[in-house]
Amino acid sequence: MDKGIFETVEALCREHSLSHGEYKSLIEGYSPELAAYVAARAVTVRRGIYGNSVFVRGLIEISNYCKNDCLYCGIRRGNKNAERYRLTEEDILECADEGYGLGFRTFVLQGGEDAYYTDAVLCRVISGIKSRHPDCAVTLSLGERGCESYRALREAGADRYLLRHETANREHYARLHPPEMSFENRISCLYTLRELGYQVGCGFMVGSPYQTADDLASDLCFIEKFKPEMCGIGPFIPHHDTPLCDFPAGTLELTCFLLSIIRLIHPPVLLPATTALGTIDPRGRERGILAGANVVMPNLSPVSVRKKYELYDNKICTGEESAQCRGCLDARMESVGYKIVVDRGDAPGFEI
Ligand code: 5AD
Ligand code: FES
């Protein structure tokens, strides 16, 4: 191994900070040996904070209607082949009730940007979940909304918000999104969410079309600066009905390498081994945990809609019942020496 790179990793472990150029050289210096070294350091750091606990989040995919037209995403409004659905308030509460019985203490409501879910509707759903299950956290992943909307949802009881920044490079952002979507607004939403007291998650796809090592270095610099409580990263996977269908998928190796680096940049970060990682490799989620991730997010959506929430091709777990996914993940985590815990799994400093 090149000694320079080795020293860069040591500096990262010590300082939790590198320059843009150093991040870039780490990424360009990828080798299986370097990745194994960084993963070992990341696992030690994660173990010091979280032991062998893995947090679990029940993902409820509330709607695949979306007003946006992101070029990579299977539920973009321009995809006329997508079969659209939305869950009712009662459906969502039922999913949460089922999840509670399965040991979930965080529910993630995720969906496209669907105008049906006004603040009034969402506030009812959020306070409904919180009053039935006061020991649970509610996470929202519903895209860009206004400050007053974020405030109302927070006041109704939402604890966390996931909004991937997608890429920290403005020009790259413009190649992945239609002109009406703005990088500035995306980033400004993240800072607004933070000011409102949410635990905030950003994130990006690995191997997205046109992505360079420079872009990834910018993502890492952004994470170093923003210090998100959560960070969602998973491989880009092409969807057959999108303009970017012919681009190759991101790799397991690079995704795991980046998970390790992010753990070292911001040790307490809640870092999921994503469904996309499980989709490109049958043991992808286990590999993610072994690289430094500490969260898994099984699907709690009704089986009848799962295939329709198709952001990318061949998504896993679309035929399984919630209880099956829960049991499956328990076994998968145990197979690599980790244990899923029944806990809200708040970011340090946000515990109740
Ligand atoms: N491949 C991988 N991830 C995708 N997402 C959307 N489309 C794809 C795709 N084709 C991710 C985006 C979004 C999150 C909900 O899913 O990063 O923020
Ligand atoms: Fe869904 Fe394994 S996590 S079947």
Side-chain angles (χ1 to χ4, degrees):
M1 201 185 305
D2 160 6
K3 184 148 178 297
I5 282 208
F6 180 85
E7 277 166 9
T8 304
V9 176
E10 287 307 306
L12 178 59
C13 292
R14 242 184 358 257
E15 317 283 343
H16 311 295
S17 170
L18 292 176
S19 68
H20 186 277
E22 288 169 323
Y23 283 128
K24 186 176 171 194
S25 67
L26 261 191
I27 292 157
E28 289 179 333
Y30 172 87
S31 69
E33 297 72 35
L34 179 66
Y37 182 79
V38 180
R41 301 304 301 260
V43 163
T44 304
V45 163
R46 192 263 325 268
R47 201 171 280 279
I49 303 174
Y50 295 108
N52 71 342
S53 298
V54 171
F55 298 119
V56 68
R57 320 297 193 194
L59 185 64
I60 306 175
E61 297 156 334
I62 68 171
S63 169
N64 72 351
Y65 283 89
C66 192
K67 75 169 165 58
N68 285 334
D69 216 17
C70 306
L71 274 68
Y72 45 83
C73 183
I75 65 168
R76 65 201 301 268
R77 68 160 189 270
N79 180 7
K80 301 298 173 222
N81 294 326
E83 214 186 300
R84 305 288 170 172
Y85 76 90
R86 63 169 64 94
L87 300 185
T88 64
E89 295 174 41
E90 294 71 37
D91 292 335
I92 299 170
L93 292 174
E94 251 174 58
C95 285
D97 290 346
E98 186 188 359
Y100 191 87
L102 292 168
F104 291 93
R105 295 296 177 269
T106 291
F107 301 107
V108 182
L109 310 186
Q110 186 175 85
E113 293 191 16
D114 178 354
Y116 171 86
Y117 294 95
T118 57
D119 293 347
V121 171
L122 288 172
C123 288
R124 273 202 304 275
V125 173
I126 295 162
S127 55
I129 297 178
K130 297 289 279 201
S131 65
R132 290 152 85 132
H133 308 295
D135 54 339
C136 289
V138 171
T139 303
L140 303 177
S141 176
L142 300 168
E144 296 174 29
R145 304 175 73 95
C147 176
E148 290 318 311
S149 169
Y150 287 147
R151 190 193 311 278
L153 304 179
R154 174 92 184 106
E155 281 168 3
D159 302 276
R160 312 184 186 134
Y161 206 103
L162 304 173
L163 183 72
R164 290 190 179 179
H165 64 285
E166 310 297 356
T167 168
N169 176 322
R170 184 187 326 275
E171 285 80 45
H172 186 217
Y173 191 92
R175 299 185 81 171
L176 299 177
H177 297 96
E180 67 273 15
M181 287 182 73
S182 110
F183 174 72
E184 282 69 26
N185 193 55
R186 194 103 186 149
I187 300 295
S188 124
C189 284
L190 286 169
Y191 282 97
T192 301
L193 289 161
R194 164 139 310 151
E195 270 173 39
L196 291 168
Y198 284 92
Q199 298 173 48
V200 183
C202 65
F204 59 92
M205 293 178 288
V206 178
S208 63
Y210 316 110
Q211 184 180 64
T212 62
D214 249 301
D215 297 332
L216 286 171
S218 301
D219 289 319
L220 297 177
C221 286
F222 176 66
I223 288 163
E224 181 188 314
K225 177 167 111 183
F226 187 66
K227 297 196 173 34
E229 282 72 36
M230 307 163 287
C231 183
I233 77 162
F236 163 75
I237 304 174
H239 183 289
H240 61 280
D241 279 324
T242 60
L244 302 176
C245 62
D246 291 328
F247 283 83
T251 65
L252 173 78
E253 289 74 18
L254 186 55
T255 306
C256 288
F257 186 49
L258 288 160
L259 285 170
S260 303
I261 295 173
I262 292 167
R263 172 67 59 204
L264 294 175
I265 293 175
H266 187 36
V269 71
L270 292 157
L271 201 55
T274 58
T275 303
L277 195 55
T279 297
I280 58 163
D281 186 287
R283 289 183 60 84
R285 287 166 297 178
E286 293 88 319
R287 294 281 301 271
I289 296 295
L290 293 172
N294 67 332
V295 174
V296 285
M297 300 175 64
N299 203 316
L300 271 186
S301 310
V303 174
S304 56
V305 305
R306 286 190 186 194
K307 266 198 183 20
K308 299 178 190 162
Y309 198 81
E310 191 189 40
L311 307 182
Y312 46 80
D313 288 343
N314 306 315
K315 192 175 148 210
I316 52 170
C317 298
T318 56
E320 281 75 13
E321 292 290 345
S322 304
Q324 287 177 294
C325 283
R326 177 63 219 261
C328 169
L329 277 170
D330 268 328
R332 284 174 183 273
M333 295 302 111
E334 268 177 33
S335 78
V336 288
Y338 290 80
K339 195 154 185 48
I340 291 182
V341 293
V342 176
D343 192 300
R344 278 170 51 117
D346 285 289
F350 284 88
E351 299 91 347
I352 50 164

